[in-house]
């Protein structure tokens, strides 16, 4: 696909990554079609919407007579792949499939060994089947498209429109101030990919015809530098004026206190324990960079996230202030501040806004 305006199909396109691909493709002047049920959100402005439902036989028939120069797909269910390949693969010069680093079998060490794929007609939506399902999806795409396919495997996707806000816990917590629990050591690596950088890279790849299979992730960064970068962004935006007061607590203490890693209620977003996940946040980012990926500085990603999400975050990760205060008190061997009761239950963020631009 050259850089001239092309016919692009985004399978998905109503939420987060696939919506960002569709939005940026339209902004680049391509003719963009978004095909989904429409239940996750609105397609972006300037795109054509075609209603399909991949969960039943015949649900993708509305695409049968269409032709596209490039197709992007984010599907997670192997049974959703075959029918779209049947109606479009032979006519599509380029296919970009979004997979995941969860396809790798071993997170304890860096390894490219893959999980055993599920059956190609599996419809299992269970989170436990996610990685194996994506292996099956990848295989179906590669078998049918061969060297016309790009398969990218992203790690944690963060940024504007994130429906999980695993990154978001940290800037919001810093904005609240006070003593902040952080998972030692500062050197523990973390990785992410900014949703907008990723979408732009996928579009560049489609425009230049880049194919193959590769990870889609930035280089690992120490947790300390990660939190410092978030603070730098908040200070630059005028959200906070002082550097956050971080207390680095060792992993043994966090595990003893049953702090959940990675994601979900009560977790510390991004944190994964060693040695079980030593290969999880250390994927080499160089492959993506060599293929044209240009990561934005963390400060830019945080700024994009803050502007888009901070007012109404969709926090599915992070702990309450009360729980954090109790953990810090236990760590210091002191009594928890009785005032923490006031912060019990739901988070009630008052999101400080950056000062109005004076110009
Ligand atoms: N978020 C992360 O950190 C992360 C990390 C690694 C990999 N990934 C991968 O990155 C991709 C993220 O994609 P995304 O952000 O666009 O979110 P998503 O939640 O994967 O989006 C799924 C899209 O497919 C559509 N869809 C779902 N079921 C459908 C059906 N039965 N028929 C037709 N359309 C259907 C949805 O639209 P409707 O509901 O409107 O139909 C939606 O637009 C996924 O491939 C995921 O596996 C994500």
């Amino acid at each position: 696909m050259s850089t001239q305006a092309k016919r692009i199909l985004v399978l998905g396109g109503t939420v987060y990554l696939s919506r960002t691909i569709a939005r940026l493709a339209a902004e680049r002047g391509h003719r963009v079609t978004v095909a989904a049920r429409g239940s996750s959100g609105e397609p972006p402005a300037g795109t054509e919407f075609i209603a399909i439902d991949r969960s039943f036989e015949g649900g993708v028939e509305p695409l049968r007579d269409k032709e596209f120069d490039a197709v992007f797909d984010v599907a997670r269910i192997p049974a959703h792949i075959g029918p779209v390949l049947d109606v479009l693969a032979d006519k599509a010069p380029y296919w970009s499939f979004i997979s995941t680093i969860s396809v790798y079998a071993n997170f304890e060490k860096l390894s490219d060994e893959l999980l055993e794929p599920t059956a190609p007609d599996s419809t299992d939506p269970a989170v436990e089947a996610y990685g194996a399902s994506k292996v099956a999806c990848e295989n179906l795409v590669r078998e049918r498209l061969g060297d016309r396919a790009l398969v990218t495997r992203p790690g944690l996707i963060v940024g504007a429109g994130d429906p999980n806000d695993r990154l978001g816990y940290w800037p919001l917590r810093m904005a609240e101030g006070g003593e902040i629990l952080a998972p030692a050591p500062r050197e523990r690596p973390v990785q992410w990919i900014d949703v907008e950088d990723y979408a732009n890279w996928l579009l560049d790849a489609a425009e230049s015809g880049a194919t193959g299979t590769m990870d889609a992730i930035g280089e690992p960064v120490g947790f300390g530098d990660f939190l410092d970068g978030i603070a730098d962004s908040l200070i630059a935006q005028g959200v906070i004026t002082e550097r956050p007061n971080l207390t680095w607590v060792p992993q043994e203490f966090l595990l003893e206190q049953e702090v959940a890693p990675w994601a979900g209620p009560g977790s510390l977003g991004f944190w994964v324990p060693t040695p079980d996940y030593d290969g999880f946040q250390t994927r080499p980012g160089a492959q993506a960079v060599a293929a044209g990926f240009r990561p934005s500085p963390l400060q830019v990603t945080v700024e994009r996230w803050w502007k888009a999400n901070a007012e109404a975050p969709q926090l599915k990760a992070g702990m309450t202030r009360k729980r954090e205060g109790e953990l810090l008190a236990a760590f210091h061997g002191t009594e928890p501040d009785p005032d923490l009761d006031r912060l019990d239950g739901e988070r009630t963020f008052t999101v400080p806004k950056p000062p109005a631009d004076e110009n």
Side-chain angles (χ1 to χ4, degrees):
M1 189 175 94
S2 79
T3 48
Q4 288 168 335
K6 295 293 178 184
R7 299 159 302 174
I8 287 184
L9 172 66
V10 180
L11 292 161
T14 54
V15 69
Y16 200 32
L17 172 66
S18 54
R19 189 176 194 282
T20 306
I21 296 169
R23 175 176 63 80
L24 293 175
E27 284 172 17
R28 287 181 183 212
H30 296 300
R31 281 162 49 200
V32 182
T33 302
V34 158
R37 295 163 304 180
S39 43
S40 297
E42 294 290 317
T47 63
E48 181 199 2
F49 178 73
I50 297 183
I52 61 165
D53 189 341
R54 303 169 78 170
S55 61
F56 68 86
E57 209 181 321
V60 300
E61 280 308 302
L63 295 172
R64 182 167 291 283
D65 298 325
K66 309 285 180 189
E67 283 193 33
F68 301 97
D69 300 304
V71 177
F72 295 81
D73 191 10
V74 292
R76 298 155 188 252
I77 306 284
H80 288 185
I81 301 280
V84 287
L85 292 176
D86 287 343
V87 296
L88 294 172
D90 292 343
K91 296 181 286 182
Y94 188 85
W95 202 281
S96 182
F97 180 69
I98 288 87
S99 184
T100 171
I101 58 161
S102 297
V103 293
Y104 293 117
N106 189 344
F107 289 142
E108 281 185 30
K109 59 180 173 42
L110 195 55
S111 151
D112 287 345
E113 186 193 341
L114 297 178
L115 292 166
E116 277 301 312
T118 58
D121 57 353
S122 168
T123 55
D124 187 354
V127 70
E128 295 74 23
Y130 174 58
S133 292
K134 282 287 207 181
V135 179
C137 292
E138 284 190 8
N139 290 343
L140 288 163
V141 169
R142 272 189 301 262
E143 276 159 22
R144 198 66 175 266
L145 275 298
D147 62 6
R148 288 177 289 140
L150 174 68
V151 175
T152 48
R153 296 172 176 159
L156 185 58
I157 305 171
V158 303
D162 188 350
N164 290 303
D165 284 341
R166 278 167 284 198
L167 170 80
Y169 171 74
W170 292 105
L172 285 171
R173 180 64 197 86
M174 287 180 193
E176 288 198 323
E179 186 184 10
I180 299 174
L181 179 84
R186 281 183 59 94
E187 296 72 34
R188 182 100 181 110
V190 290
Q191 286 180 292
W192 64 89
I193 185 164
D194 177 299
V195 66
E196 208 163 302
D197 296 346
Y198 185 23
N200 269 318
W201 174 41
L202 290 175
L203 289 167
D204 291 344
E207 287 168 0
S208 68
T211 56
T213 297
M214 64 194 78
D215 289 344
I217 193 72
E219 290 289 4
V221 169
F223 218 112
D225 289 343
F226 168 63
L227 294 187
D228 286 348
I230 293 172
D232 288 344
S233 178
L234 296 181
I235 289 169
Q237 290 179 70
V239 174
I240 58 175
T241 52
E242 289 173 12
R243 298 214 69 81
N245 172 17
L246 304 174
T247 297
W248 292 91
V249 174
Q251 165 175 312
E252 297 67 38
F253 177 85
L254 297 175
L255 293 176
E256 212 175 85
Q257 299 287 331
E258 298 181 354
V259 172
W262 189 236
S267 66
L268 281 177
F270 271 75
W271 168 64
V272 287
T274 184
D276 305 22
Y277 289 92
D278 281 359
F280 184 59
Q281 299 234 60
T282 50
R283 300 293 313 172
Q287 205 183 10
V289 170
F293 171 54
R294 295 290 170 264
S296 298
L298 175 59
Q299 285 84 335
V300 172
T301 296
V302 172
E303 190 178 337
R304 287 176 184 155
W305 180 87
W306 189 272
K307 285 185 174 142
N309 283 40
E311 198 92 75
Q314 306 190 53
L315 280 175
K316 292 184 186 151
M319 60 179 64
T320 61
R321 290 290 304 280
K322 182 165 190 271
R323 165 85 165 135
E324 184 197 41
E326 287 165 352
L327 288 168
L328 284 167
F331 179 64
H332 294 308
T334 55
E335 284 300 309
D337 180 351
D339 216 25
L340 287 173
D341 283 336
R342 160 179 74 78
L343 300 167
D344 197 8
E346 292 294 300
R347 270 177 180 271
T348 49
F349 289 107
T350 307
V351 176
K353 287 191 196 298
D357 191 347
E358 285 168 9
N359 297 317

